Amino acid sequence: MNIRQDDPAAPHVSGLLAFHLEELRGVMGEHAFALDASGLSSPDVTFWTAWREDELAGFAALKHLGAGLGEVKSMRAAPSARGSGVGRALMDHVIAEARQRGYRELYLETGTAPLHEPAIGLYRRSGFVNCAAFADYQPSPHNQFMVLAL
């Protein structure tokens, strides 16, 4: 698998990103905080894609929160790549980058619906634990918050 920094507005990303946003908004409504291409293109966000040969297998992003803190944003495995280890590879990549940047903590926000269970399992296996809402997030029955001490 090849993971590379990429442009979230690139045509090869648009289909998977649209699927990601539509699925989350369908389950979480106004509590879906996933970023679109313009949000993922922000200067404080780094975006990567994962590839298996010439097939887009997934993407992930890391947002700089300031003061030694980061946030995992918009992790997604392509439907054809689920269960293949792409999520683990992307998570390992984001954690390694956060450590390289000297972050002390890495946060994430995710949902509570059954759709999120595989991702939540990955986050827990990576060492994330539940925490209070962070940054500008507000708690709701549709969201949960996690942190990894680096």
Side-chain angles (χ1 to χ4, degrees):
M1 179 172 329
N2 178 30
I3 297 175
R4 66 180 190 219
Q5 192 168 336
D6 211 333
D7 177 2
H12 58 265
V13 175
S14 64
L16 183 56
L17 182 56
F19 172 76
H20 176 64
L21 295 171
E22 183 178 316
E23 185 175 59
L24 291 178
R25 290 176 181 151
V27 172
M28 300 174 70
E30 66 187 34
H31 301 285
F33 298 112
L35 298 175
D36 61 12
S38 70
L40 290 168
S41 298
S42 173
D44 60 348
V45 175
T46 306
F47 181 81
W48 295 276
T49 50
W51 297 83
R52 288 192 178 273
E53 296 180 22
D54 61 351
E55 181 182 347
L56 177 62
F59 58 74
L62 175 60
K63 181 177 182 179
H64 178 71
L65 297 178
L69 307 176
E71 178 185 1
V72 178
K73 292 298 296 181
S74 298
M75 282 208 39
R76 171 58 72 155
S80 63
R82 287 187 181 151
S84 70
V86 68
R88 167 92 281 163
L90 283 165
M91 178 56 66
D92 289 348
H93 185 84
V94 170
I95 291 170
E97 179 67 22
R99 285 189 170 124
Q100 183 177 347
R101 292 181 184 185
Y103 291 168
R104 294 182 323 275
E105 294 176 318
L106 185 58
Y107 289 86
L108 64 84
E109 175 273 334
T110 192
T112 58
L115 163 75
H116 297 97
E117 289 174 6
I120 293 165
L122 172 64
Y123 303 148
R124 292 201 189 290
R125 287 188 302 278
S126 298
F128 284 85
V129 295
N130 289 354
C131 68
F134 62 93
D136 295 331
Y137 291 108
Q138 297 297 316
S140 83
H142 304 283
N143 305 85
Q144 59 183 306
F145 308 94
M146 303 177 91
V147 63
L148 173 66
L150 299 171

